[in-house]
Amino acid sequence: KFKEINEAYEVLSDKEKRVILPDQFLTSVFGVDGPSHANQGNRERAEHLISKKRCLAGLKDVVLQTPEQKAACGGAENMVPINYPGKPPYLCMDIFEFPNKACELPVVWIPPTYAKKVCELQGKRLCSQIEWQQACRGDPAGGPDRMYAYGDDLDLTICHTNKPPRTSCDPTSARNAWNTCTTDSEPSGAFPKCKSRFGVYDQHGNVAEIMMRRNEEGKVVTQLKGSAWFYVNVAREPGKPSTKPKNVETYPDHCNFDPRWHVEPIDNAWHVNYHLGFRCCKSVP
């Protein structure tokens, strides 16, 4: 059977070979546990302290998306429009980290190239760094930018950024990370105050996020942004010296922070991690 499939594939044109069969693609990307498939972490090692029920109760009276916002986003669920001051919205962004559902655990262990395709199969695209930054710092009413999505002062209790690692984590390979590192995320939206003024949740903490940017040569590459639940161990305020031991690398997780971690061409990007997820965007129709 495989021989027949391979023979049929070889006669296709280069354009036809690039066509993605959604069902087969999604089955191969999501499906079983392990660092070779997108999932919500190693369930045998993970610790989630907030239940889905408790998370939903915290969002009970919150309007996640108004009818006007849904219309502006072409009818897409759980998306909000993003704009610059004095200008109409130019994109819509997922409210939550993928799978973009209230109080579901975010998906990790997915390569950027696959995350890009997952967004495209929904009629969306992977967010760019400048889009993510505006959604984090900006104000739909035209107010001044903020340092963080929730305000101007670092507060490690507002978002899921204050949970130190429970285990000795060995990230030297994907398999070692799967066996030793704990994906201690919480349901998306479990920290109701951890949202931007546009209504985008968890841009700080929970899981870091894959996005795109253009490099100096104009090529589209990966950009990893946002902190994870263990940010407390590496936190540093912008413009201030670190209070951590000298051998601990720290960074300021503000909206405009521009890290250059694991930079790869977006169409050939395979870095994965136990604390790295993504969210999707789309242009305003």
Side-chain angles (χ1 to χ4, degrees):
K1 185 65 177 178
F2 284 112
K3 181 180 179 181
E4 293 176 6
I5 293 173
N6 289 334
E7 289 175 348
Y9 179 80
E10 287 305 318
V11 301
L12 296 175
S13 68
D14 288 342
K15 183 177 180 180
E16 290 171 323
K17 287 179 181 179
R18 289 196 294 270
V19 173
I20 294 292
L21 301 176
D23 290 344
Q24 290 87 335
F25 171 75
L26 294 173
T27 298
S28 69
V29 174
F30 304 91
V32 299
D33 290 338
S36 60
H37 289 79
N39 53 67
Q40 294 168 316
N42 186 339
R43 294 183 181 276
E44 294 182 1
R45 302 191 63 80
E47 178 183 81
H48 309 295
L49 301 180
I50 300 176
S51 67
K52 182 176 181 178
K53 181 179 180 180
R54 177 181 160 191
C55 174
L56 289 171
L59 295 176
K60 180 181 177 182
D61 298 320
V62 176
V63 177
L64 298 175
Q65 182 191 48
T66 67
E68 293 77 16
Q69 289 174 321
K70 185 173 182 178
C73 294
E77 297 282 349
N78 285 349
M79 296 196 87
V80 289
I82 310 296
N83 69 287
Y84 283 102
K87 297 183 178 181
Y90 72 106
L91 81 139
C92 290
M93 180 176 288
D94 284 353
I95 294 173
F96 304 111
E97 294 155 334
F98 185 84
N100 192 31
K101 294 183 181 295
C103 300
E104 293 291 341
L105 294 172
V107 165
V108 293
W109 290 117
I110 185 166
T113 299
Y114 285 176
K116 175 176 178 285
K117 181 54 64 176
V118 169
C119 288
E120 290 170 354
L121 289 174
Q122 300 174 76
K124 304 177 183 179
R125 54 181 166 76
L126 202 57
C127 299
S128 74
Q129 173 177 233
I130 58 174
E131 293 168 343
W132 191 95
Q133 288 173 332
Q134 179 60 18
C136 178
R137 71 192 177 207
D139 181 7
D145 287 351
R146 283 177 174 173
M147 182 71 70
Y148 302 96
Y150 52 79
D152 288 316
D153 299 315
L154 176 64
D155 188 334
L156 296 174
T157 66
I158 290 178
C159 298
H160 186 31
T161 54
N162 204 22
K163 186 191 290 183
R166 297 180 293 111
T167 61
S168 178
C169 175
D170 177 9
T172 55
S173 71
R175 179 54 60 183
N176 288 344
W178 175 261
N179 289 329
T180 65
C181 303
T182 56
T183 301
D184 292 342
S185 59
E186 297 295 353
S188 295
F191 290 73
K193 294 181 180 179
C194 185
K195 68 175 180 177
S196 73
R197 287 170 288 181
F198 286 103
V200 179
Y201 284 78
D202 298 316
Q203 288 187 276
H204 309 287
N206 218 19
V207 297
E209 298 179 27
I210 301 164
M211 58 202 69
M212 305 182 293
R213 66 173 172 85
R214 288 194 181 275
N215 65 12
E216 292 73 14
E217 289 77 40
K219 297 180 180 179
V220 180
V221 296
T222 54
Q223 180 77 27
L224 311 184
K225 281 186 71 70
S227 53
W229 60 89
F230 51 78
Y231 180 62
V232 61
N233 277 23
V234 294
R236 173 164 56 87
E237 292 192 63
K240 295 184 179 181
S242 172
T243 59
K244 308 294 183 183
K246 290 185 178 181
N247 64 333
V248 176
E249 182 179 359
T250 61
Y251 66 92
D253 182 39
H254 56 85
C255 293
N256 287 343
F257 181 53
D258 181 17
R260 300 298 169 92
W261 302 320
H262 305 286
V263 176
E264 301 173 286
I266 191 60
D267 290 326
N268 191 27
W270 305 108
H271 172 73
V272 297
N273 223 320
Y274 67 103
H275 57 80
L276 180 60
F278 68 105
R279 75 176 78 221
C280 303
C281 289
K282 64 181 293 187
S283 298
V284 168

